[in-house]
Amino acid sequence: MALNDWVLAHEVQIRLGFFFGIFAIMAAWELVAPRRRLIASKAIRWGNNLGLVFLNSLVLRLLFPAAAVGVAAVAHARGWGLFNYYPISFPLAVIVSVIIMDAVIYLQHVMVHAVPLLWRLHRVHHADLDYDVTTGARFHPLEIILSMLIKFATILLLGPPVVAVVIFEVLLNATAMFNHGNVKLPAPVDRVLRWFVVTPDMHRVHHSVEDDEANSNFGFNLPWWDRLFGTYRDQPRDGHEGMTIGIHKYRDPKQVSWLPGILLFPFQGKITGYAINRREWDSSSEP
């Protein structure tokens, strides 16, 4: 298909164009209409968070040169996966593929909160002392590798069109930057929008230091999974301006804001009640 060939030839430019474009929009929006006052040095956080993004991009390029789009192209060429074995209309295959891959991301997110070993990796994302556009791309390299392997397995089983994989990758990056933005939406707009996409106020709850709030609102792109599986939480109990971002007991910038500390963070300390299967809260903590 000519469209698949064109997407394969321009995949890097498409993804980078959307990444830098959305990043610039969100960064400007945060300056004009911030939701919360930042408590940590923005220069330090941005420098180290973006340094981690660069490191992760380098690691992925070295380990997986073909990336997810390349795996989708191989699956298509060899007839692997559900949609290559049972062909359906191209538009329907694209839509269903994007929705299914988003559901897998939701389940993966729940998994890294439930398995203590994986929570060690994922807490790098949660340990950021503030919440803004750079938090959306702040993940430990080992979690990035795990996420890519899960994505490969999903693509091989599903057999999505190449275009669907590119759309999904672009949407995932764009919505991650959007819903991690330190931006303020009018309350009526937020109430309507969060039925269709995860909004900043919806996902910010997930970055609360409170254990029960951190284990809610797992969606990154589509908000339906949290409502369907009972993990949706409307608002933080202390409000968005009053809530504390991060993880209890890990507040030292050298450990959670500087790149060397971030890379070593999964190997330090004990697993606490933040891991879902080690819950320490009870029903009395619910609002």
Side-chain angles (χ1 to χ4, degrees):
M1 183 180 290
L3 181 58
N4 276 352
D5 294 338
W6 185 89
V7 168
L8 278 172
H10 298 88
E11 180 254 341
V12 174
Q13 297 93 317
I14 293 170
R15 291 184 59 190
L16 288 179
F18 275 98
F19 175 84
F20 287 114
I22 300 297
F23 184 89
I25 291 171
M26 294 307 302
W29 191 355
E30 289 182 344
L31 288 175
V32 174
R35 184 67 161 103
R36 290 167 46 92
R37 182 179 62 84
L38 302 181
I39 64 170
S41 168
K42 188 172 183 177
I44 291 175
R45 286 185 54 259
W46 275 46
N48 287 274
N49 285 356
L50 294 177
L52 184 60
V53 172
F54 176 80
L55 175 62
N56 287 338
S57 299
L58 180 61
V59 168
L60 288 180
R61 183 57 61 180
L62 291 174
L63 292 179
F64 311 112
V69 172
V71 173
V74 171
H76 177 73
R78 300 190 179 183
W80 294 342
L82 182 65
F83 290 146
N84 290 314
Y85 192 78
Y86 298 104
I88 61 175
S89 70
F90 181 76
L92 182 59
V94 170
I95 294 171
V96 174
S97 295
V98 170
I99 292 174
I100 292 177
M101 287 189 286
D102 192 76
V104 170
I105 288 292
Y106 168 86
L107 294 173
Q108 174 189 324
H109 196 178
V110 174
M111 179 182 71
V112 297
H113 276 254
V115 179
L117 179 62
L118 300 182
W119 168 246
R120 281 188 173 273
L121 300 177
H122 186 63
R123 64 182 183 175
V124 165
H125 179 63
H126 280 260
D128 203 350
L129 297 177
D130 276 319
Y131 182 93
D132 63 21
V133 62
T134 64
T135 309
R138 175 191 155 117
F139 294 93
H140 194 276
L142 292 177
E143 183 177 3
I144 290 292
I145 293 171
L146 173 67
S147 181
M148 186 60 74
L149 292 174
I150 292 173
K151 196 178 297 180
F152 287 173
T154 303
I155 290 170
L156 292 174
L157 289 171
L158 188 61
V162 169
V163 173
V165 175
V166 174
I167 291 174
F168 173 72
E169 296 274 72
V170 168
L171 282 176
L172 187 63
N173 287 331
T175 53
M177 288 187 282
F178 168 66
N179 60 44
H180 285 88
N182 182 31
V183 296
K184 189 172 185 177
L185 287 170
V189 174
D190 180 85
R191 278 197 299 272
V192 173
L193 196 59
R194 66 170 60 194
W195 282 100
F196 305 98
V197 68
V198 177
T199 66
D201 274 13
M202 178 178 169
H203 191 69
R204 190 179 295 105
V205 179
H206 181 73
H207 282 257
S208 167
V209 296
E210 300 301 331
D211 303 4
D212 54 330
E213 293 177 346
N215 284 299
S216 67
N217 295 6
F218 292 97
F220 263 79
N221 181 17
L222 298 175
W224 312 325
W225 315 119
D226 285 299
R227 296 178 186 270
L228 182 63
F229 293 108
T231 54
Y232 175 71
R233 193 180 190 109
D234 186 54
Q235 301 293 334
R237 63 173 60 88
D238 292 328
H240 287 279
E241 288 80 7
M243 68 182 289
T244 302
I245 300 293
I247 300 177
H248 282 306
K249 301 178 182 178
Y250 295 107
R251 315 296 297 175
D252 182 358
K254 290 182 180 179
Q255 188 177 29
V256 299
S257 295
W258 288 91
L259 189 55
I262 292 172
L263 294 175
L264 291 174
F265 190 48
F267 313 103
Q268 298 175 350
K270 297 180 179 180
I271 294 299
T272 68
Y274 282 95
I276 295 173
N277 66 351
R278 296 194 175 192
R279 287 189 173 194
E280 294 177 349
W281 67 88
D282 56 37
S283 59
S284 63
S285 68
E286 294 291 333

